[in-house]
């Protein structure tokens, strides 16, 4: 008997005129602490069997996790109506007032209204979720009616003592759990042959406020005997993850059915009586349930994010040998039991030598054995900035293990990268100004700012100016050349003493004459001697003979024998001067000072004439 | 004679010593920086271009010009500005950093491949003109000391020793200068067109050999009309490009 057509009824939208697609959104509360989480329900309704998915915009200051969907389809008088509720868990990232923006969907007449929410620091009192406030946590042992046992499954009829012909029984696999720990809700619709069901039945899920729910298909059918009465049943299981502590109520699950009402025709046979029976709508409810939810015990790790279950983690890279500037794909996989979808992205490590780009994640879940297990994979592109050995540190995923009742950490092993120098242009070999340093978060790279106070280096400016002297750089070469010529001449003179005496004859004679002129009038005799010696020494130097004992005749003969002899008038002047000089030197009487200086000038003029005519 | 030489040297130096910024230049700088701070980068670049044209040896102005051009989205001309600033003042860490950063955007890097960064840093610690100045200073010292040694025989020994030391410096700075000119030779240029095409010959009649991104540094090897024969420093490729797509350093 496969008559159970399952669907959730969207009571809130039953009265709507199904004229298109509508989107509404709701939060379970308006204030939340940073160590807590919110549940955002987005309902898309439409007058068609398939409604579009909502388009969730970026929500500021919240990490958003998809927590599943539930759908109901109803057909009323041939009119199809569909309603899908998408559930998201919002984990706040910062304190403040924020707004959930309008949420739309393809074909929607209008987006949902924005919702304001306030995020406060941990410890600040926040309003509990609306439907969870009814039963404050007393942390006492569960009462009998809160436990879920078969005693609820077979309520006997008070008058007949028999179990009813049809009933709905809801049970939980445990009566006490930790926040975020999986609890399995089983709703069983039991009906006996006497139930005389007509048509299909509609299943209305219980109110699960305070839980994340994940369907555990398929619908299971079977038979059972309760109180001696055989029943057929259809069973729906749902995995629940409580998102807050306290006594959370699970509302009654309902089944809308039509049963045969016995007809009033006394002549009708039983078969036809049944065939033509008037249908009667009945609604069967299960008893509400209560689950006691404990918060994680004290002593949680600082980076604990609320994951409950049992996890393992591993990290890998697509290559360990890489060049600076080339991309490496880092893959971090976290797998295990529990709500793996709620595992947050691992924090990017502060490694200045590595640049981490945005992380992409994907989730695969498995519902085998009605236990939610899965694997969440994070992929990040990592680019080494510099060459050398770099290490990707361990990534930690703390969790609470409800079985061992202890906190544990699933950690990846560190990964070493061997980074070779990159290709030109791939990356800067020098860490840039925006390279991430410990404790510093780099948001972007840009050029450095303008020069507000340019520094002037006078030494540098002088060097540059000196370099730009141009032709003046020939000056030291010229100086060296002059010095070399001077030195050459000096060396040449030192090597030829006769020639040097010949060339220097006039200079030495003039020095003597200058000395004679400087003597006072009282020393006229000495001056005359100097003049006489000057003349004789000049001729002796030119002839390269000793001046002592040089006679006028010898002098004249010698001068005439030179390669360039003086002219005869000059020789006549020499003869007259020579004799006068001898006379002045050896018979000085009557010679005054002025006359001696005049004579010295005459001798000087004669020497110049001789020197010019003889040559140097 | 000595007085005449000193006067000539002073005259040679005097026009090259940078004068303190005038009030007009200061006003221009303030205006350009104001435009930059207001986010009007293109206008700031135009203002800095005018200032830099008047003082082409001012590394800070070339740096500021590069900054404004970079922010205006003109990567190629920005690299030209940073390159000129780097040539003038290679010890400035801001200049070096911005040039490195801008070159990375163009797919290049400041340090040649295979060169240890520390060695490159030391090698480029002095600008080409500073090295030229040191080279010539050592040359002057060597030659004048040698001339003095010739002219003054009594002090020849001590002067010869000093001249030898100066000659060693002359050779050291000369080799350094030549090496730097080999690494940063004249005739370099930067692609300033967004995506320049290099052809097999000087004209559009020749096929496109490859394209070059803006900001890539090239060496100009020759020219023909409005076309330049350039070589890519990084890839070692060669081709002809329109002269308007290249700005020479």
């Amino acid at each position: 008997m496969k008559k159970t057509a399952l669907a959730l009824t969207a009571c809130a939208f039953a009265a709507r005129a199904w004229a298109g697609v509508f989107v509404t959104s709701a939060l379970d509360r308006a204030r939340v602490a940073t160590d807590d989480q919110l549940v955002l329900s987005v309902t898309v309704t439409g007058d068609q069997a398939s409604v579009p998915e909502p388009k969730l915009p970026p929500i500021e200051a919240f990490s958003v996790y998809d927590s599943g969907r539930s759908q109901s389809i109803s057909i009323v008088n041939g009119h199809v109506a569909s309603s899908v509720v998408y559930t998201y868990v919002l984990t706040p990232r910062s304190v403040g007032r924020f707004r959930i923006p309008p949420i739309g969907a393809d074909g929607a007449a209008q987006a949902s209204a924005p919702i304001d929410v306030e995020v406060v620091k941990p410890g600040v009192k926040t309003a509990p979720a609306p439907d969870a406030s009814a039963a404050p946590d007393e942390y006492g042992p569960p009462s009998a009616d809160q436990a879920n046992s078969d005693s609820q499954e077979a309520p006997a009829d008070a008058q007949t003592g028999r179990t009813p012909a049809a009933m709905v029984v809801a049970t939980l696999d445990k009566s006490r759990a930790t926040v975020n720990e999986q609890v399995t809700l089983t709703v069983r619709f039991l009906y006996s042959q006497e139930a005389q069901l007509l048509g299909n039945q509609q299943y209305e899920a219980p109110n699960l406020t305070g839980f994340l729910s994940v369907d555990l298909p398929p619908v299971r059918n079977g038979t059972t005997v309760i109180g001696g009465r055989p029943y057929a049943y259809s069973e729906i299981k749902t995995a629940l993850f409580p998102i807050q502590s306290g006594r959370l109520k699970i509302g009654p699950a309902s089944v809308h059915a039509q049963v045969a009402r016995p007809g009033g025709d006394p002549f009708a046979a039983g078969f036809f009586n049944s065939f033509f029976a008037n249908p009667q709508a009945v609604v069967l409810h299960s008893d509400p349930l209560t689950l006691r939810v404990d918060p994680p015990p004290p002593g949680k790790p600082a980076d604990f994010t609320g994951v409950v279950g049992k996890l393992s983690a591993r990290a890998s890279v697509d290559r360990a040998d890489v060049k600076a500037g080339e991309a490496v794909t880092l893959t971090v996989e976290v797998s295990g039991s529990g709500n793996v979808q709620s595992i947050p992205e691992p924090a990017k490590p502060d490694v200045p030598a590595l640049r981490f780009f945005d992380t992409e994640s994907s989730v695969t879940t498995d519902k085998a054995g009605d236990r939610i297990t899965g694997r969440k994979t994070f992929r990040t592109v990592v680019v080494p900035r510099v060459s050398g050995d770099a290490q990707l540190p361990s990534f930690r995923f703390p969790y609470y293990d409800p079985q061992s009742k202890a906190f544990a950490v699933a950690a990846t092993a560190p990964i070493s990268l061997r980074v070779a120098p990159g290709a030109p242009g791939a990356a800067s070999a020098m860490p840039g100004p925006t390279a991430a340093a410990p404790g510093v978060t780099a948001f972007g790279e840009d050029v450095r700012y303008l020069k507000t106070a340019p520094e002037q280096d006078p030494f540098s400016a002088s060097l540059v100016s000196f370099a730009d002297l141009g032709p003046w750089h020939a000056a030291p070469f010229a100086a060296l050349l002059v010095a070399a010529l001077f030195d050459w001449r000096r060396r040449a003179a030192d090597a030829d003493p006769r020639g040097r005496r010949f060339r220097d004859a006039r200079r030495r004679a003039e020095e003597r004459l200058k000395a004679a002129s400087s003597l006072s009038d009282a020393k006229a005799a000495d001056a005359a001697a100097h003049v006489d010696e000057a003349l004789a020494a000049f001729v002796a130097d030119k002839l390269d003979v000793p001046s002592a004992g040089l006679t006028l005749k010898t002098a004249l003969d010698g001068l005439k024998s030179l390669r360039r002899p003086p002219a005869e008038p000059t020789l006549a002047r020499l003869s007259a001067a020579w004799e006068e000089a001898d006379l002045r030197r050896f018979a000085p009487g009557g010679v005054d000072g002025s006359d001696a200086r005049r004579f010295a000038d005459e001798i000087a003029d004669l020497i110049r004439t001789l020197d010019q005519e003889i040559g140097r | 004679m000595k007085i005449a030489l000193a006067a000539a040297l002073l005259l040679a130096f005097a026009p090259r010593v940078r004068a303190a910024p005038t009030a007009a230049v200061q006003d221009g700088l303030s205006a350009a920086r104001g435009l930059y701070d207001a986010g009007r980068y293109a206008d700031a670049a135009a203002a800095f271009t005018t200032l830099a044209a008047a003082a082409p040896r001012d590394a800070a102005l070339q740096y500021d010009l590069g900054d404004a051009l970079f922010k205006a989205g003109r990567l190629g001309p920005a690299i030209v500005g940073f390159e000129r600033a780097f040539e003038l003042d290679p010890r400035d860490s801001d200049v070096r950093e911005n040039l490195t950063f801008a070159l990375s955007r163009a797919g290049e890097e400041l340090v040649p491949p295979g060169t240890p960064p520390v060695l490159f840093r030391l090698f480029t610690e002095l600008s080409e003109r500073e090295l030229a100045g040191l080279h010539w200073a050592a040359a002057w010292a060597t030659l004048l000391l040698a001339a003095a040694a010739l002219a003054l025989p009594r002090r020849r020994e001590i002067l010869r020793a000093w001249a030898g030391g100066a000659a060693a410096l002359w050779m050291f700075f000369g080799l350094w200068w030549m090496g730097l000119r080999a690494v940063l030779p004249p005739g370099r240029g930067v692609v300033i067109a967004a995506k320049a095409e290099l052809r097999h010959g000087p004209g559009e009649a020749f096929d496109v050999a490859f394209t070059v991104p803006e900001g890539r540094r090239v060496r100009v090897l020759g020219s023909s009309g409005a076309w330049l024969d350039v070589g890519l420093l990084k890839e070692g490729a060669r081709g002809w490009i329109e002269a308007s797509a290249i700005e020479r350093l």
Side-chain angles (χ1 to χ4, degrees):
Chain A
M1 227 164 93
K2 311 275 184 190
K3 346 183 179 178
T4 310
L6 296 171
L8 293 171
T9 354
C11 298
F13 303 98
R16 277 188 179 275
W18 303 100
V21 176
F22 296 89
V23 181
T24 59
S25 60
L27 282 177
D28 62 337
R29 58 193 135 156
R31 196 180 192 201
V32 65
T34 52
D35 60 348
D36 205 346
Q37 52 193 14
L38 290 170
V39 177
L40 171 66
S41 301
V42 181
T43 305
V44 184
T45 59
D47 51 357
Q48 50 201 21
S50 175
V51 294
E53 289 190 5
K55 292 184 174 178
L56 205 63
I59 300 177
E60 182 188 7
F62 286 94
S63 297
V64 181
Y65 305 100
D66 187 356
S67 181
R69 49 175 282 180
S70 60
Q71 182 173 16
S72 72
I73 301 174
S74 63
I75 303 173
V76 179
N77 295 329
H79 195 111
V80 177
S82 181
S83 173
V84 183
V85 179
Y86 296 86
T87 307
Y88 303 93
V89 175
L90 308 185
T91 304
R93 293 197 299 259
S94 57
V95 175
R97 291 181 179 276
F98 304 99
R99 170 165 288 191
I100 309 296
I103 302 169
D106 289 336
Q110 64 181 49
S112 67
I115 307 171
D116 292 325
V117 62
E118 181 183 7
V119 180
V120 297
K121 293 179 181 178
V124 177
K125 190 173 182 180
T126 59
D131 290 319
S133 61
D137 189 4
E138 295 171 2
Y139 296 98
S143 60
D145 63 328
Q146 291 158 358
N148 308 287
S149 64
D150 286 346
S151 64
Q152 287 183 316
E153 193 172 278
D157 185 276
Q159 293 181 347
T160 64
R162 296 191 63 192
T163 53
M167 56 186 170
V168 179
V169 177
T171 58
L172 293 173
D173 66 338
K174 59 185 75 171
S175 60
R176 188 170 184 172
T178 307
V179 173
N180 261 335
E181 180 184 358
Q182 181 182 343
V183 178
T184 303
L185 169 67
T186 303
V187 178
R188 184 175 282 187
F189 173 51
L190 300 127
Y191 50 94
S192 65
Q193 285 188 337
E194 291 82 359
Q196 297 189 49
L197 297 174
L198 300 175
N200 294 333
Q201 292 76 46
Q202 286 187 334
Y203 169 65
E204 183 179 347
N207 186 343
L208 296 174
T209 302
F211 295 91
L212 300 178
S213 64
V214 181
D215 294 338
L216 296 173
V219 176
R220 283 150 250 212
N221 299 299
T223 59
T224 185
V225 176
I226 301 174
R229 191 171 196 173
Y231 287 92
Y233 67 83
S234 295
E235 184 180 85
I236 298 174
K237 289 195 172 187
T238 306
L240 303 180
F241 294 92
I243 60 176
Q244 59 193 100
S245 60
R247 292 184 182 278
L248 301 188
K249 281 190 173 179
I250 298 171
S254 305
V255 172
H256 299 253
Q258 290 189 325
V259 298
R261 187 178 61 187
D265 187 353
F267 303 103
F271 172 77
F272 290 102
N273 189 38
S274 172
F275 188 78
F276 292 105
N278 296 323
Q280 179 184 8
V282 295
V283 180
L284 302 174
H285 302 284
S286 67
D287 291 333
L289 303 174
T290 301
L291 176 69
R292 176 178 169 175
V293 181
D294 299 323
K300 62 183 178 182
D303 50 352
F304 178 69
T305 57
V307 180
V308 175
K310 193 170 182 63
L311 301 179
S312 63
R314 73 183 191 93
S316 62
V317 291
D318 59 345
R319 50 182 172 158
D321 294 295
V322 65
K323 290 182 177 178
E326 292 184 349
V328 177
T329 301
L330 167 67
T331 303
V332 178
E333 289 183 352
V334 190
S335 57
S337 61
N339 187 13
V340 294
Q341 190 148 10
S342 67
I343 298 172
E345 172 188 331
K348 292 182 176 63
D350 287 334
V351 183
L354 301 174
R355 182 179 181 181
F356 292 84
F357 288 80
D358 291 341
T359 300
E360 293 182 351
S361 64
S362 60
V363 178
T364 58
T365 55
D366 187 10
K367 302 174 181 177
D370 294 334
R371 305 301 300 174
I372 301 296
T373 60
R375 181 175 67 248
K376 191 161 189 178
T377 305
F378 302 95
R379 288 186 177 85
T380 306
V381 173
V382 182
V383 177
R385 295 179 189 270
V386 295
S387 58
D389 290 337
Q391 190 170 60
L392 289 162
S394 171
F395 293 93
R396 288 167 48 89
F397 297 92
Y399 63 95
Y400 176 69
D401 185 352
Q403 290 187 338
S404 62
K405 299 189 182 303
F407 290 99
V409 175
T412 65
I415 298 175
S416 295
L417 295 177
R418 292 172 294 279
V419 186
S428 169
M430 292 180 288
T434 54
V440 175
T441 302
F443 288 99
E445 293 178 317
D446 203 350
V447 289
R448 290 187 180 180
Y449 187 62
L450 302 176
K451 289 286 182 192
T452 53
E455 297 175 359
Q456 295 203 0
D457 184 354
F459 181 68
S460 174
S462 302
L463 278 179
V464 172
S465 298
F466 189 74
D468 294 341
L469 281 179
W472 284 103
H473 288 306
F477 291 96
L480 180 64
L481 185 62
V482 170
L485 283 173
F486 178 76
D487 186 61
W488 175 77
R489 284 195 59 182
R490 185 167 51 204
R491 287 173 187 273
D494 291 344
D496 179 18
R498 182 179 177 183
R500 185 176 182 181
R501 185 182 180 191
F502 184 89
R503 287 189 295 273
D504 291 347
R506 176 180 164 186
R507 180 178 59 81
R508 281 196 291 269
E510 287 175 343
E511 286 175 355
R512 286 193 174 95
L513 292 172
K514 191 175 179 181
S517 300
S518 64
L519 292 174
S520 62
D521 293 345
K523 295 183 177 180
D526 293 341
H530 278 300
V531 171
D532 185 38
E533 287 175 2
L535 184 59
F538 174 77
V539 176
D541 287 343
K542 287 295 184 184
L543 299 178
D544 192 28
V545 297
S547 61
L550 182 64
T551 63
L552 177 61
K553 183 178 183 304
T554 308
L556 291 173
D557 291 345
L559 290 173
K560 288 177 183 174
S561 65
L562 290 176
R563 186 166 56 87
R564 290 176 60 187
E568 282 300 328
T570 307
L571 289 176
R573 281 183 65 194
L574 174 63
S575 297
W578 189 289
E579 288 173 354
E580 186 174 353
D582 283 346
L583 184 62
R584 285 173 179 264
R585 180 177 184 183
F586 298 111
V591 178
D592 60 9
S594 60
D595 185 55
R597 280 191 289 274
R598 181 196 55 78
F599 184 64
D601 291 340
E602 285 182 10
I603 296 300
D605 183 66
L606 174 62
I607 287 173
R608 276 195 295 273
T609 304
L610 282 170
D611 192 56
Q612 288 171 358
E613 292 180 358
I614 295 171
R616 302 182 72 180
Chain B
M1 180 66 184
K2 292 177 182 175
I3 294 173
L5 181 60
L9 287 173
L10 278 176
L11 286 174
F13 273 98
R16 291 176 170 81
V17 173
R18 180 166 52 187
T22 63
V25 173
Q26 284 290 8
D27 291 345
L29 274 174
S30 299
R33 286 173 183 150
L35 291 170
Y36 186 93
D37 290 339
R40 295 168 59 186
Y41 301 120
D43 295 335
F48 280 125
T49 300
T50 304
L51 292 168
R57 290 284 183 87
D58 193 324
L61 275 179
Q62 297 290 349
Y63 169 89
D64 289 346
L65 174 60
D67 256 8
L69 288 167
F70 185 90
K71 299 293 283 184
R74 300 178 61 195
L75 179 61
I79 289 178
V80 172
F82 291 139
E83 280 275 6
R84 286 176 177 156
F86 182 69
E87 284 186 7
L88 293 168
D89 192 358
R91 291 183 298 279
D92 190 302
S93 63
D94 291 335
V95 171
R96 198 176 279 257
E97 202 59 52
N98 279 7
L99 177 59
T100 300
F101 180 65
L103 286 175
S104 70
R105 292 291 180 92
E108 284 208 73
E109 58 185 7
L110 179 61
V111 182
T115 305
V118 173
L119 186 61
F120 182 80
R121 174 87 192 197
L122 288 173
F123 190 63
T124 57
E125 192 66 13
L126 295 173
S127 73
E128 188 267 345
R129 296 316 298 159
E130 287 172 339
L131 277 176
L134 286 170
H135 162 265
W136 281 117
W140 276 65
T142 303
L143 296 171
L144 292 179
L145 285 168
L150 290 174
L152 303 171
R154 292 179 182 176
R155 299 183 178 178
R156 180 163 293 176
E157 291 306 316
I158 184 70
L159 289 171
R160 188 179 290 172
W162 278 98
L169 287 175
W170 184 10
M171 183 172 293
F172 175 73
F173 288 121
L175 290 173
W176 190 351
W177 185 27
M178 288 168 58
L180 196 65
R181 287 176 67 88
V183 173
L184 304 173
R188 292 177 304 132
V190 175
V191 177
I192 58 172
K195 195 174 184 181
E197 294 177 337
L198 264 73
R199 296 175 181 269
H200 291 296
E204 294 188 347
F206 296 91
D207 292 336
V208 175
F210 48 89
T211 60
V212 183
E214 183 180 6
R216 184 59 60 88
R217 291 179 297 180
V218 300
R219 185 177 298 175
V220 179
L221 305 171
S223 64
S224 175
W227 292 77
L228 297 177
D229 182 12
V230 300
L232 298 184
L233 299 177
K234 181 181 173 185
E235 289 81 2
R238 184 173 178 175
W240 291 83
I241 189 171
E242 284 185 287
S244 60
I246 299 290
E247 183 162 350
R248 297 199 191 209
L249 292 172

